């Protein structure tokens, strides 16, 4: 028997066992989904939307909204009941494996272990022009009531902005002797965020000696938790990530606890070519 929770009852929701979606009453399985079909808005299009809903397992399905999106596309919202169950015991999540530190502790740890400022280079790469995410982490104004990395006295921030080409990012990281490189990807059409990030990680590993690559971090609303290894980066942060989380991770990855091994080696300064 699964645990049940009625909103407003004052009882804690189920954390184990089997549950169903909640709509009008507990266990009714009601869900609402939205999608777009490449068809002109008419009765046939609405029938196509209900057919798709039925194949998705909604029975009965109610079409609650349909709107033309130009001459050849229609946006739909469908409401209905599903028979699928959620097995909470089988849900896999990526737990945070580092402590959240206040700014003073971040600064103190960097100063004690690195004995120099920690250098972070950030950018939106490829054709991505959405700087809201990278600015929320780097700029002093920050996000969600937390000040960005520019606020930290022991972190030097180089924000390259939007539409930065990967070769340019590598060059800037080498020039500033970056300890960490943060890239933000909001544009996800045709998995552009995945292609850009894997290209970036490959370029850094080609440009740096083995073991001297800066810490590579990717962030954006569409990255999957636990995908860092597949993308070739050290960490992936999703939507809702705060500057404090990123700062704490930088300390965890580059400095470690006070009684741990020495900090990660700083990338060597590239030789400058004579004119």
């Amino acid at each position: 028997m699964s645990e049940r929770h009625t909103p407003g009852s004052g009882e804690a929701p189920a954390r184990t066992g089997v549950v169903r979606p909640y709509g009008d009453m507990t266990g009714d399985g009601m869900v609402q989904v939205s999608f777009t079909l490449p068809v002109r808005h008419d009765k046939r299009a609405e029938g196509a939307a209900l057919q798709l809903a039925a194949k998705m397992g909604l029975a009965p399905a109610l079409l609650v909204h349909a709107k033309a999106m130009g001459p050849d596309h229609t946006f739909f919202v469908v409401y209905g009941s599903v028979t699928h169950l959620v097995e909470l015991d089988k849900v896999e999540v990526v737990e945070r494996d580092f402590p959240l530190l206040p700014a003073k502790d971040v600064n103190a740890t960097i100063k004690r272990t690195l004995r120099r400022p920690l250098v972070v280079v950030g950018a939106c790469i490829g054709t991505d022009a959405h700087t809201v995410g990278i600015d929320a982490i780097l700029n002093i104004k920050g996000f969600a009531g937390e000040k960005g990395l520019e606020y930290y006295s022991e972190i030097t921030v180089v924000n390259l902005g939007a539409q930065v080409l990967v070769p340019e990012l590598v060059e800037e990281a080498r020039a500033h002797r970056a300890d960490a490189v943060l890239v933000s990807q909001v544009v996800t059409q045709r998995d552009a965020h995945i292609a850009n990030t894997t290209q970036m990680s490959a370029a850094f590993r080609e440009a740096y000696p083995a073991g001297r690559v800066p810490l590579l971090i990717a962030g954006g609303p569409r990255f999957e938790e636990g995908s860092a290894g597949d993308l070739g980066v050290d960490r992936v942060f999703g939507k809702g990530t705060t500057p404090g989380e990123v700062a704490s991770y930088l300390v965890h990855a580059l400095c470690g606890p006070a009684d741990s091994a020495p900090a990660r080696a700083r990338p060597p300064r590239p030789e400058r070519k004579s004119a």
Side-chain angles (χ1 to χ4, degrees), residues 58-267:
L58 277 69
L62 175 65
L63 181 63
V64 296
H65 178 74
K67 183 178 181 180
M69 305 292 288
D72 300 313
H73 293 76
T74 307
F75 174 76
F76 302 95
V77 177
V78 179
Y79 186 63
S81 178
V82 296
T83 59
H84 309 299
L85 302 175
V86 177
E87 299 177 79
L88 295 179
D89 294 336
K90 295 182 179 180
V91 174
E92 297 182 0
V93 297
V94 178
E95 299 288 354
R96 176 168 48 81
D97 55 356
F98 56 91
L100 291 179
L101 303 174
K104 65 177 183 178
D105 289 350
V106 169
N107 289 325
T109 304
I110 294 173
K111 190 172 184 178
R112 182 180 66 251
T113 58
L114 296 187
R115 299 182 180 180
R116 57 169 175 78
L118 188 156
V119 180
V120 175
V121 173
C124 297
I125 58 176
T127 59
D128 202 321
H130 298 76
T131 62
V132 174
I134 196 71
D135 288 343
I137 300 300
L138 299 182
N139 287 1
I140 193 169
K141 63 183 179 182
F143 167 72
E146 295 185 8
K147 294 185 181 298
L149 301 188
E150 289 179 344
Y151 170 76
Y152 293 76
S153 60
E154 296 300 319
I155 298 180
T156 298
V157 173
V158 180
N159 189 346
L160 301 179
Q163 296 183 320
V164 178
L165 299 178
V166 168
E168 179 185 353
L169 178 62
V170 173
E171 181 180 349
E172 291 291 334
R174 288 174 62 86
H176 291 281
R177 301 179 69 193
D179 295 294
V181 174
L182 276 63
V183 296
S184 173
Q185 293 284 266
V186 175
V187 175
T188 60
Q189 283 83 353
R190 299 183 180 181
D191 288 336
H193 59 309
I194 295 176
N196 288 339
T197 304
T198 52
Q199 179 190 1
M200 180 271 296
S201 63
F204 270 93
R205 282 169 173 74
E206 181 178 349
Y208 282 80
R212 306 301 295 274
V213 179
L215 196 70
L216 301 179
I217 302 173
R222 292 287 299 278
F223 284 112
E224 294 183 5
E225 288 187 312
S227 64
D230 294 334
L231 297 173
V233 299
D234 296 286
R235 191 80 180 194
V236 166
F237 285 107
K239 60 182 179 180
T241 300
T242 64
E245 290 180 75
V246 177
S248 297
Y249 173 70
L250 291 174
V251 166
H252 166 77
L254 294 171
C255 302
D259 57 351
S260 69
R264 182 169 172 160
R266 187 175 195 176

Side-chain angles (χ1 to χ4, degrees), residues 37-59:
L37 292 179
V39 292
R40 180 170 57 89
H41 182 208
D42 55 18
K43 289 293 184 180
R44 184 166 177 264
E46 294 183 358
L50 290 174
Q51 181 188 111
L52 176 61
K55 291 183 177 181
M56 294 170 63
L58 277 69

